[in-house]
Amino acid sequence: DIVLTQSPATLSVTPGESVSLSCRASQGISTSIHWYQQKSNESPRLLIKYASQSISGIPSRFSGSGSGTDFTLSINRVESEDFSVYYCQQSYSLPLTFGSGTKLEIK
Amino acid sequence: EVQLVESGGGLVQPGRSLKLSCAASGFTFSNYYMAWVRQAPKKGLEWVATISTSGSRTYYPDSVKGRFTISRDNAKSSLYLQMNSLKSEDTATYYCARHYSSYLNWFAYWGQGTLVTVSS
């Protein structure tokens, strides 16, 4: 199974700061990584597909990068509505797996 | 607008069975792979099952293989998850999700979830 390791587990930031969240795969997965946001008591929402491809309706401050084993979700100038948990997911091979999440909290 | 509405969750004893349902609308259901993803209380996300457009192919992780069965009724735009031999570790919110296309890729849309609690 492909293990996805997300870091840090928790990130404390001030609104207006820019942040980068990491997702590392246990083996090379090309760009088959996708990012989700899950706000408290809500369902996950797709943010980025195939490492860097944008999703309709998602604010442009969210962007993704990486290939192989190292991936990054970047948020340019965090807004109050962005404080939530972020998960990465791989579709390179079965079983489909998720990272354990990064919680973005207000400092 | 894509809508996925789960039902069927509840409290069930260990070893018993439960069947979840998901009613889909807002898209041509038969054109998409569908899936179940679960989330244990205060934990992360875990993929549980995926079914092909016709229902002829199903996919599971080892943690549920042989105990859970995913199925669909394209005429009713409905997805199901039959869960047998339930264990306490199956306690979770179960989300119905639509894959992006006719393949196992990302989860483009999610339902609101239904809570399954396995306890005596």
Side-chain angles (χ1 to χ4, degrees):
Chain A
D1 297 6
I2 294 174
V3 176
L4 300 178
T5 301
Q6 291 190 244
S7 61
T10 304
L11 188 56
S12 301
V13 302
T14 302
E17 285 187 58
S18 294
V19 299
S20 292
L21 285 59
S22 173
C23 176
R24 178 165 292 176
S26 58
Q27 65 185 76
I29 58 171
S30 185
T31 57
S32 297
I33 202 79
H34 321 292
W35 290 93
Y36 303 85
Q37 176 193 56
Q38 186 176 32
K39 297 182 180 180
S40 183
N41 297 319
E42 293 187 9
S43 307
R45 175 176 72 150
L46 179 68
L47 293 178
I48 298 286
K49 61 183 172 79
Y50 281 134
S52 62
Q53 296 182 13
S54 59
I55 300 297
S56 175
I58 299 301
S60 59
R61 62 182 180 275
F62 291 95
S63 63
S65 63
S67 67
T69 60
D70 291 315
F71 303 89
T72 300
L73 174 69
S74 299
I75 310 175
N76 185 32
R77 291 200 277 270
V78 172
E79 299 189 5
S80 57
E81 64 189 35
D82 300 336
F83 291 100
S84 45
V85 181
Y86 293 86
Y87 294 96
C88 56
Q89 175 242 325
Q90 65 82 21
S91 61
Y92 185 80
S93 68
L94 294 180
L96 303 178
T97 52
F98 290 86
S100 56
T102 290
K103 181 179 181 180
L104 187 65
E105 64 176 26
I106 301 176
K107 182 184 288 184
Chain B
E1 178 193 4
V2 172
Q3 287 201 329
L4 301 169
V5 180
E6 303 93 337
S7 60
L11 176 63
V12 60
Q13 293 179 329
R16 303 297 291 265
S17 299
L18 197 65
K19 187 173 185 176
L20 306 182
S21 300
C22 171
S25 61
F27 64 101
T28 303
F29 182 74
S30 58
N31 286 353
Y32 294 89
Y33 274 40
M34 296 295 296
W36 290 95
V37 178
R38 69 184 179 184
Q39 185 170 35
K42 301 194 182 303
K43 299 294 186 183
L45 300 167
E46 180 186 17
W47 169 67
V48 171
T50 287
I51 189 167
S52 64
T53 52
S54 66
S56 61
R57 292 184 296 274
T58 56
Y59 309 86
Y60 308 92
D62 287 345
S63 58
V64 306
K65 193 175 295 182
R67 297 189 301 123
F68 289 12
T69 301
I70 188 172
S71 62
R72 66 191 296 162
D73 184 335
N74 286 342
K76 295 182 177 180
S77 295
S78 293
L79 179 72
Y80 306 100
L81 184 68
Q82 176 68 46
M83 303 184 293
N84 298 332
S85 303
L86 282 162
K87 307 174 183 180
S88 58
E89 51 262 45
D90 295 319
T91 294
T93 295
Y94 285 74
Y95 295 102
C96 169
R98 197 199 86 179
H99 281 285
Y100 171 69
S101 61
S102 55
Y103 190 64
L104 292 97
N105 37 45
W106 57 93
F107 304 101
Y109 295 94
W110 301 65
Q112 86 288 349
T114 187
L115 178 62
V116 173
T117 303
V118 183
S119 175
S120 54

